[in-house]
Amino acid sequence: MITFETFEYDVLVIGAGGAGLRAAIEASAAGVKVGLICKSLLGKAHTVMAEGGVAAALANVDDRDSWKVHFADTMRGGQYINNWRMAELHAKEAPDRVRELEAWGAVFDRTKDGRILQRNFGGHRYPRLAHVGDRTGLELIRTLQDYGVHRGLDVHMEFTVVSLLMSDGRAAGVIGYERERGRFKAFNAGAVVLATGGAGRAYKITSNSWEGTGDGHALAYRAGAELMDMEFIQFHPTGMIWPPSVQGILVTEGVRGEGGILLNKDGRRFMFDDIPEPYRNQTADNEEEGWRYTQGDKNARRPPELLTRDHVARCIMREVKAGRGSPHGGVFLDIAWIKKKMSNADAHIKRKLPSMYHQFKELGDIDITQDPMEVGPTTHYIMGGVRVDSDSQMSTVPGLFAAGECAAGINGANRLGGNSLSDLLVFGKRAGQYAAAFAKEHRRVPIDRIAAQKAADEALKPFEHGPGKSENPYAIQAQLQETMQGLVGIVRTESEMQHALTDLAALEKRAAHAGVTGHREYNPGWHTAIDLRNLLTVSEAVTRSAIERKESRGGHFRDDYPDKNPEYATFNIVTRQRADGSMEVRREPLPPMPAELKQIIEEQKS
Ligand SMILES: Cc1cc2nc3c(=O)[nH]c(=O)nc-3n(C[C@H](O)[C@H](O)[C@H](O)COP(=O)(O)OP(=O)(O)OC[C@H]3O[C@@H](n4cnc5c(N)ncnc54)[C@H](O)[C@@H]3O)c2cc1C
């Protein structure tokens, strides 16, 4: 029998990335008692890695920008299966959230007249990304953390939540363990906000940190919430590919925003070869025009390197498959070429892209001011997540909210770069506000201590299995990542995904016998065994949803159904756990879009 201490809060936020911190700040501003839990140290959440910027139609660099253009760009990027209400709220509220961040102390790069500077990014019609060099996430976290800590948030760091606890059909709290000592603690709360980030660790090649194991997705699913759009994984076109030890590390889209171009092994700028019809009018048809766009010429159209990520990633794969790739299986990304255009190019590159300069110098021994980088697609972001109400962010489970990367809706089939950091701010705030209101309206119900005990026992099972007669959790995790990378990756087919389901079922059986040695204190094998359950749930949801979507759209490309099917533009795919524990997959019709929003989309098509 495990003993555990119990803490009580009105609102409990799981995750201290941008979404969690923003939610906690807002809930605390509503005057309720807020607890914040995170798996890593405060300040180390994955958001800290965000580079390029936060998208908001401030119109500081191009006064033609507005929430309407941002809304239309987001919907087109998501191929029109986004939750239109979330896309609308996001576009309308992002500018205020960015200005608020500035008021709280964030030091953004500046225009000559002292306003927040904005840069170009893929799929955004005008320069829209407020940024701090290529270290925007660090500044965002630093600012929110500083502000939040001074509001008196109660933080529990290096603590892994293993189960949500339900009482009277509502979320009533969580149970988990301290990573340092292995001690269990329970939390009783009036409302719970999940802000646990993504699930990139289900794949072998990923830009995601170790935390991205889909915990929030799986916790919500097991508590009866619905997941949506899980088939849509974003493979960012430019990750490092060489040397092998750094494979997957992100190369920010900011490089292309600053004028970087993609070349195949023959030095050909292949992105001009294939420009999708919906973007044709807004894309440059020659190199000179593309360059002028990156330098702020309002009469120029964007270069094809700044098309949406799903498209750019597929163009790269096409070059590689056709034997025109770089020596290590990618293509070249060249920013050094801008020397031909500006006299102070070296200093300019180092100033605009300091992290990229150091990343390549230190990890790949490449000076990006002189030589091209070798890049290829890397698993970057999951558009799918917990299905939430667009305004309040409450899931289908009363009292359970979700925000940030672990929630679904705003991005549809593909996320535009920069729209995540703004999503964290806009919907983090909303989740905190509505969770606080929920907690005030509904009295806290006590946690189910038997369920908590059961969850703790379950989490400790790997110690019972012992060495010799058990499975190695690392080996299972590696196999899982191989399966998802190879069979449910950038290009998918029915037969391969059916094969993946069989593999996942076998891995699940093995995971039930995962065993670890040693003590509970900082035991990485144990942590891996616990993560496995979440990764397996997320992987199954991704695979089943991807099988159900028999077309190609956004981040989901089917070799056996290479075209978009208009019928599939009318619904989202939703997964839910049945009473017998199996996974149900169903189609949820998209709510009808109001005429005024339809009109905005039409107006922005030209
Ligand atoms: C290299 C890189 C660069 C990027 N650049 C940009 C960019 O420029 N612009 C942009 O818009 N987006 C960018 N993104 C995407 C963006 O950074 C993420 O989508 C976003 O930061 C996710 O934030 P979040 O708050 O949802 O979650 P995260 O920042 O991932 O935080 C999750 C939190 O949940 C905690 N947690 C998870 N599971 C548990 C558990 N079981 N128990 C307790 N705590 C738990 C973690 O410890 C962490 O505190 C980038 C992503 C990467 C990888």
Side-chain angles (χ1 to χ4, degrees), residues 14-20 37-40 45-47 49-53 121 159-161 195-198 207-208 211 215 219 250 380-381 403-406 415 417-422 424:
I14 321 293
I37 296 180
C38 49
K39 214 153 79 158
S40 55
H46 173 87
T47 298
M49 294 161 76
E51 295 167 352
F121 239 58
F159 185 93
T160 300
V161 171
T196 48
S207 63
N208 284 196
E211 292 177 290
D215 295 10
L219 291 168
L250 193 76
H380 185 59
Y381 184 88
E405 192 169 342
C406 75
R415 175 178 72 89
N419 269 3
S420 171
L421 294 188
S422 39
L424 311 183

Side-chain angles (χ1 to χ4, degrees), residues 13-21 36-55 119 121 129-130 134 136-137 140-141 156 158-163 179 194-198 206-216 219 234 236 248-253 309 359 379-382 403-407 415-424 530-531 534:
V13 180
I14 321 293
L21 282 167
L36 180 65
I37 296 180
C38 49
K39 214 153 79 158
S40 55
L41 289 167
L42 188 65
K44 297 280 184 189
H46 173 87
T47 298
V48 86
M49 294 161 76
E51 295 167 352
V54 43
R119 66 157 48 118
F121 239 58
L129 267 68
D134 54 6
T136 313
L140 188 137
I141 286 288
H156 302 260
E158 299 201 297
F159 185 93
T160 300
V161 171
V162 295
S163 185
R179 295 170 77 85
L194 291 171
T196 48
T206 179
S207 63
N208 284 196
S209 79
W210 62 271
E211 292 177 290
T213 47
D215 295 10
L219 291 168
Q234 179 165 82
H236 192 292
I249 294 180
L250 193 76
V251 182
T252 176
E253 198 164 322
R309 291 174 174 179
Q359 186 172 307
T379 312
H380 185 59
Y381 184 88
I382 181 160
E405 192 169 342
C406 75
R415 175 178 72 89
L416 298 185
N419 269 3
S420 171
L421 294 188
S422 39
D423 163 18
L424 311 183
I530 285 174
D531 292 345
N534 301 328

Side-chain angles (χ1 to χ4, degrees), residues 489-543:
I490 303 182
V491 177
R492 301 164 173 181
T493 62
E494 175 94 24
S495 58
E496 287 187 346
M497 290 192 288
Q498 292 294 355
H499 189 160
L501 280 182
T502 310
D503 286 359
L504 290 173
L507 288 169
E508 197 164 341
K509 282 199 184 124
R510 287 175 58 192
H513 297 99
V516 295
T517 52
H519 301 282
R520 286 199 233 161
E521 287 88 6
Y522 266 131
N523 187 328
W526 182 35
H527 303 160
T528 302
I530 285 174
D531 292 345
L532 266 179
R533 242 173 23 128
N534 301 328
L535 285 172
L536 281 160
T537 300
V538 167
S539 300
E540 184 181 345
V542 169
T543 309

Side-chain angles (χ1 to χ4, degrees), residues 17-19 21-22 25 47 53-56 58 93-108 110 116 130-132 135-148 420-426 429:
L21 282 167
R22 189 63 192 82
I25 288 170
T47 298
V54 43
L58 297 159
E93 296 177 7
D96 281 349
R97 295 290 75 78
V98 170
R99 285 189 206 102
E100 177 180 74
L101 206 62
E102 186 187 34
W104 292 350
V107 186
F108 287 102
R110 301 267 144 203
I116 296 174
H131 59 278
V132 184
R135 293 173 184 151
T136 313
L138 175 63
E139 186 68 357
L140 188 137
I141 286 288
R142 188 194 65 73
T143 308
L144 291 177
Q145 187 176 306
D146 202 35
Y147 191 80
S420 171
L421 294 188
S422 39
D423 163 18
L424 311 183
L425 297 173
V426 168
K429 175 184 187 293

